Amino acid sequence: MQTEPQNISDGMVVSIAYVLRVDGEEVSRMTAGEPLEYLHGYQEIVPGLEAALTGKKVGDKFSITLAPADGYGDYDSENFDEIPRDAVPFGDDVEIGTDLEVEDEEGNVYLATVSEIREATLLLDFNHPLAGKSLDYDVEVTDIRYADEEELEHGHAHGYFLDDELDFDDDDFDDDDEDEDFDDEDEKPSR
Ligand code: ZN
């Protein structure tokens, strides 16, 4: 039987229960029964939280407040773009605050939020919804294990609840989309 790791370090799959609050309001919560599983050292979680977890053991609990730069980044008031309304399917149904996925000419997909609806265009905010926010986390480490080879290759954890069909990785697309140019092999898909 392989011994299990004691302290969190790069290349381990870590399960955490946590509560995230922003400005005193709960934004997300994962329980010990249904924890977040992530691959440590691969930027799957915000940098300040990943740094705080390094060296922790199963059962460790802590609270931490992260500055925006250690969370989802500072809010960038230049990170806006205007697109034609007719470029968006259901463009007439969007509202301020609607989240859209926008693809650029190279096929990179970005998440954006509708910030203004103008006559023929939409003004989109490309900042993460939590950009510029301080993040208050209460965290408990519930499990640590070694990643398998496939997880290390993919750069993310394969949760037990995530079956193969739901695991969208670049290499899974190879057969279907041979003429598509996936030039972002180093980018991990968010899920
Ligand atoms: Zn994968």
Side-chain angles (χ1 to χ4, degrees):
M1 196 178 142
Q2 192 182 24
T3 52
E4 291 304 310
Q6 296 296 307
N7 297 87
I8 296 172
S9 69
D10 291 355
M12 292 170 185
V13 174
V14 179
S15 300
I16 55 171
Y18 72 85
V19 180
L20 168 60
R21 291 185 189 86
V22 172
D23 300 329
E25 299 237 352
E26 185 174 316
V27 172
S28 62
R29 172 187 289 264
M30 297 295 271
T31 62
E34 247 180 286
L36 171 75
E37 264 195 301
Y38 76 94
L39 179 57
H40 195 79
Y42 287 72
Q43 292 90 46
E44 270 205 273
I45 60 174
V46 297
L49 184 58
E50 185 165 62
L53 282 157
T54 300
K56 292 282 194 287
K57 301 186 294 291
V58 171
D60 282 355
K61 291 182 185 181
F62 62 96
S63 297
I64 190 170
T65 297
L66 302 180
D70 297 321
Y72 290 97
D74 290 312
Y75 190 82
D76 178 1
S77 58
E78 307 275 292
N79 200 6
F80 283 76
D81 207 358
E82 213 173 346
I83 62 164
R85 279 174 76 164
D86 57 18
V88 181
F90 315 109
D92 291 335
D93 292 336
V94 300
E95 296 169 2
I96 288 171
T98 300
D99 291 325
L100 298 176
E101 278 187 352
V102 183
E103 196 175 332
D104 70 12
E105 279 151 18
E106 277 101 56
N108 301 308
V109 176
Y110 301 91
L111 205 63
T113 307
V114 175
S115 158
E116 264 182 58
I117 299 172
R118 298 176 176 172
E119 196 166 325
T121 61
L122 300 171
L123 184 67
L124 300 183
D125 181 351
F126 285 87
N127 287 288
H128 188 280
L130 296 179
K133 303 286 189 186
S134 290
L135 310 177
D136 294 312
Y137 282 100
D138 295 323
V139 183
E140 181 181 359
V141 179
T142 62
D143 192 40
I144 308 171
R145 64 172 171 84
Y146 292 107
D148 65 32
E149 267 176 45
E150 198 182 39
E151 289 174 317
L152 292 172
E153 209 174 284
H154 290 182
H156 57 230
H158 290 162
Y160 47 79
F161 53 87
L162 189 71
D163 70 32
D164 289 344
E165 284 154 58
L166 289 169
D167 184 22
F168 295 117
D169 287 295
D170 293 346
D171 51 6
D172 296 332
F173 286 106
D174 286 351
D175 301 328
D176 304 332
D177 296 299
E178 272 173 347
D179 40 3
E180 292 271 3
D181 184 21
F182 284 94
D183 55 356
D184 57 345
E185 275 169 41
D186 295 323
E187 294 279 344
K188 62 182 164 49
S190 54
R191 60 175 172 84

